[in-house]
Amino acid sequence: MRKCKEEDRSRLFEYIKKDLEMNTVLLGQVETLGLESKQLSVFVNEQDGRWDSVLAMYFDQALVYSQSSQFEVQEVVSKLKEFDIDCITGKAELVKRLQQYYPEYIMQKMYLCRCDKLKESQDGLGDEATIRRLEKEDIPRVVAFYSKIKEFRDAYLGKETIRIQQEQANMDHGELIYGVFVGKELAAIAETSGKGSTSAMIVGVCVQEKYKKRGYGRAVTYKLCQELLNQGKQYIGLCYQDNLVGNKAERLGFYLVGECASLQRSSQKKKNVEDTPYKSRRLQWTDTYEGYKIRPGFFAENGAMVVSGGVNFTIYSRHATSCELLLFRRKVREPFAIIPFPNTFRIGYVYSMIIFDLDIGEFEYAYRFDGPYNPKKGLIFNKDKIVLDPYAKAVTGQSTWGEKYEHGNLYHARVVVDQFDWDDSKQPEIPMEDLVIYELHVRGFTKHDSSGVSCPGTFAGLMEKIPYLKQLGVNAVELMPIFEFDEMKDCRMVNGKQLID
């Protein structure tokens, strides 16, 4: 990747405007600092005159962007490894491709929303609190505040010096910080990042635990938005994780535009649903096959999962006599590698193998089994048939709903890393006799325009309908089975109309 210069500015802006809200911070920083400043470095991976990806560095923060999810991830990682990076942000699908290279970092998905105009006033604080714009002399206090907040602790605690320098540089270049005070105590904060001529991103919105549920977070965000819009900004961006925060942002005038994510370095990685000893254990390959380094896998872990240095594949078949793993390039029908499971990689009916140095963003996989053919006993093995992993977490093979693939559907699986952090979330444990359950189909519930949601037919669309469900008195939702299926498998024509599953 080469470093951008001032003559690249117009082309950079042209490149990132495809996802304008996602690149609000980068846009503002380049406008303010330029492309040859000491604080900001922007790199581009250019191939035959075509830009593949952009990487921006500001202090120990990195932002990655590409117009395609199939960007050259190794080029970006190689450049990132030259720096001591504390946090990497960008579009969720891009950051996810970097995740396996930073196993010690925590990935957090966020929703990105935009505000063009504020709704009715939301800045009432009552008599006990005041709100004001913070100045440079307040910055040490701001950093100390963030260091005590759970969500920001990893980014600030023990790094106070660099964070003070960063906040001072931000303020020097026009960034704003607003705070809510109860007496002389700082109770809530919101600040800007990437404030440019036409836009700004609001970041770092947080409230002290003891002052929550008083509207301080909403009030300080409203005040900051108000000043930005009064300055002539065309739009304001905001990211959030918590649905409650999203509902409050919507009441202020924000609406959802996409998903972003961050990889945050942590001294003590949080526990998540996929944390296992296998991810941190240092593994060594024991065999090779046609250039691939392999070893016996973890037989108790069904499906495919990322482990230290590679990917673990485990599959069960009671009657199979042999099994092959097939690796495919994305959207390619023929495999680029066929790797048989050695007999020593089988225990009982379970086949398990680790393959090293695989990039989960670059391949899809499937299996082939050999075994007896006896339909009367339900045994129909065919060593030439491709079999989908029953434990697959992502399935490819049919891109458009309701359209039959002309060459026949050929399903492959993808490896997915799920690091959703449930944190302190708990089930409400409503007694059975008090449940009011609404059973629904995720897609069908909001697919029609009458649903009035911004993301129809999706989980995000269902989330938007939670206030409506609460109005009905519903306190639990039961989703119809959620799994991948071929809606065209038994499609048929009835009275001239195509019916699908």
Side-chain angles (χ1 to χ4, degrees):
M1 300 187 80
R2 69 170 178 85
K3 189 173 182 180
C4 289
K5 298 181 179 180
E6 276 302 321
E7 52 262 35
D8 295 306
R9 180 186 287 233
S10 60
R11 187 173 180 185
L12 174 64
F13 286 171
E14 183 69 23
Y15 184 74
I16 66 177
K17 75 177 185 181
K18 180 181 178 181
D19 294 285
L20 190 61
E21 294 90 355
M22 200 68 66
N23 292 301
T24 298
V25 173
L26 177 56
L27 177 67
Q29 288 178 338
V30 173
E31 277 191 355
T32 305
L33 302 173
L35 286 169
E36 298 181 21
S37 68
K38 291 182 179 180
Q39 291 103 339
L40 178 68
S41 297
V42 181
F43 301 89
V44 60
N45 180 22
E46 187 172 8
Q47 299 177 353
D48 299 323
R50 181 184 64 85
W51 282 25
D52 175 73
S53 56
V54 168
L55 180 64
M57 309 286 204
Y58 183 69
F59 285 83
D60 57 355
Q61 317 287 307
L63 182 145
V64 61
Y65 175 70
S66 175
Q67 293 182 349
S68 169
S69 61
Q70 302 304 309
F71 70 105
E72 295 287 342
V73 66
Q74 293 289 355
E75 291 291 329
V76 173
V77 172
S78 296
K79 180 56 67 175
L80 280 168
K81 295 295 185 180
E82 296 177 12
F83 299 85
D84 183 22
I85 298 298
D86 192 71
C87 183
I88 306 168
T89 60
K91 291 175 68 172
E93 61 188 40
L94 307 184
V95 175
K96 193 172 184 179
R97 298 238 2 237
L98 300 171
Q99 186 177 13
Q100 65 173 310
Y101 301 98
Y102 291 89
E104 72 279 19
Y105 285 51
I106 298 169
M107 181 169 173
Q108 296 179 325
K109 282 190 176 181
M110 296 169 282
Y111 295 101
L112 175 64
C113 55
R114 166 177 172 152
C115 176
D116 308 303
K117 181 181 178 181
L118 285 170
K119 293 183 179 179
E120 65 275 5
S121 177
Q122 302 279 340
D123 59 347
L125 288 175
D127 296 332
E128 66 172 359
T130 58
I131 187 169
R132 68 172 175 86
R133 179 173 169 177
L134 304 187
E135 305 297 336
K136 256 191 170 182
E137 57 266 25
D138 296 305
I139 286 177
R141 193 175 185 182
V142 169
V143 172
F145 179 89
Y146 280 128
S147 300
K148 297 176 182 177
I149 303 296
K150 181 180 179 180
E151 295 83 355
F152 295 88
R153 194 172 298 145
D154 285 334
Y156 281 81
L157 193 61
K159 306 166 190 174
E160 287 83 358
T161 300
I162 190 172
R163 293 292 171 256
I164 288 174
Q165 293 172 353
Q166 185 176 347
E167 294 284 5
Q168 289 175 339
N170 290 344
M171 198 169 282
D172 285 340
H173 297 113
E175 303 292 0
L176 305 175
I177 309 176
Y178 269 85
V180 173
F181 290 83
V182 176
K184 295 183 178 181
E185 186 177 12
L186 187 56
I189 281 181
E191 58 181 290
T192 65
S193 181
K195 187 166 77 75
S197 59
T198 61
S199 58
M201 182 71 72
I202 291 182
V203 298
V205 181
C206 58
V207 182
Q208 272 202 65
E209 188 67 34
K210 65 180 178 180
Y211 291 119
K212 288 185 175 180
K213 298 183 179 180
R214 302 190 189 187
Y216 293 167
R218 186 172 66 251
V220 73
T221 303
Y222 178 88
K223 190 68 175 179
L224 192 49
C225 288
Q226 189 178 51
E227 176 159 344
L228 291 169
L229 292 172
N230 287 341
Q231 291 179 1
K233 301 296 180 281
Q234 295 176 8
Y235 74 89
I236 304 165
L238 174 72
C239 290
Y240 67 87
Q241 286 180 282
D242 186 88
N243 293 335
L244 183 60
V245 175
N247 291 335
K248 292 177 180 178
E250 184 180 356
R251 292 200 296 272
L252 287 173
F254 285 88
Y255 57 92
L256 189 66
V257 294
E259 290 186 1
C260 54
S262 68
L263 284 171
Q264 177 68 54
R265 178 161 49 193
S266 174
S267 56
Q268 185 174 1
K269 188 173 179 180
K270 296 178 183 179
K271 185 178 180 181
N272 61 70
V273 295
E274 285 203 354
D275 272 343
T276 70
Y278 318 129
K279 285 192 173 181
S280 57
R281 184 186 303 174
R282 186 173 181 82
L283 303 172
Q284 298 292 332
W285 55 275
T286 59
D287 303 89
T288 61
Y289 180 83
E290 294 187 353
Y292 289 94
K293 299 174 183 177
I294 61 176
R295 65 162 289 144
F298 298 106
F299 291 80
E301 299 295 330
N302 292 306
M305 71 173 187
V306 174
V307 295
S308 178
V311 179
N312 183 87
F313 298 90
T314 301
I315 188 77
Y316 169 96
S317 179
R318 182 174 182 178
H319 298 285
T321 57
S322 66
C323 176
E324 294 176 325
L325 174 69
L326 283 64
L327 301 179
F328 302 83
R329 300 294 179 198
R330 289 196 170 198
K331 300 181 180 179
V332 176
R333 293 177 62 85
E334 297 300 321
F336 68 83
I338 301 174
I339 306 173
F341 285 78
N343 287 332
T344 52
F345 290 22
R346 174 181 179 176
I347 297 178
Y349 306 131
V350 180
Y351 299 83
S352 188
M353 174 168 54
I354 294 172
I355 302 180
F356 292 85
D357 303 323
L358 289 179
D359 179 357
I360 65 172
E362 299 289 345
F363 74 90
E364 300 169 352
Y365 73 97
Y367 296 99
R368 285 197 307 221
F369 294 91
D370 198 3
Y373 185 83
N374 189 337
K376 290 183 178 180
K377 292 186 176 181
L379 303 175
I380 52 174
F381 284 90
N382 183 335
K383 64 180 180 180
D384 297 319
K385 289 287 187 179
I386 291 177
V387 177
L388 181 67
D389 183 358
Y391 285 90
K393 295 181 179 178
V395 178
T396 68
Q398 185 177 348
S399 58
T400 305
W401 173 269
E403 290 187 8
K404 200 164 189 175
Y405 188 57
E406 58 181 359
H407 301 297
N409 291 44
L410 188 61
Y411 293 109
H412 301 157
R414 289 183 181 170
V415 183
V416 174
V417 179
D418 181 8
Q419 286 192 313
F420 184 82
D421 182 11
W422 291 96
D423 200 18
D424 297 325
S425 297
K426 297 179 181 179
Q427 294 185 358
E429 298 181 354
I430 301 171
M432 182 64 71
E433 61 271 19
D434 295 332
L435 285 175
V436 180
I437 302 173
Y438 193 120
E439 183 179 6
L440 57 85
H441 183 277
V442 174
R443 184 173 187 272
F445 189 63
T446 62
K447 185 61 179 175
H448 196 270
D449 292 341
S450 62
S451 67
V453 300
S454 59
C455 300
T458 65
F459 285 99
L462 174 55
M463 289 166 57
E464 294 181 55
K465 300 299 288 186
I466 290 175
Y468 164 72
L469 291 169
K470 287 183 175 180
Q471 286 179 359
L472 297 179
V474 173
N475 56 19
V477 171
E478 182 177 348
L479 304 182
M480 292 183 181
I482 304 167
F483 57 88
E484 186 69 45
F485 68 97
D486 183 357
E487 74 278 4
M488 303 303 294
K489 181 179 179 181
D490 297 316
C491 66
R492 60 266 186 207
M493 298 297 295
V494 176
N495 298 326
K497 184 177 181 180
Q498 178 176 268
L499 300 182
I500 60 179
D501 291 341

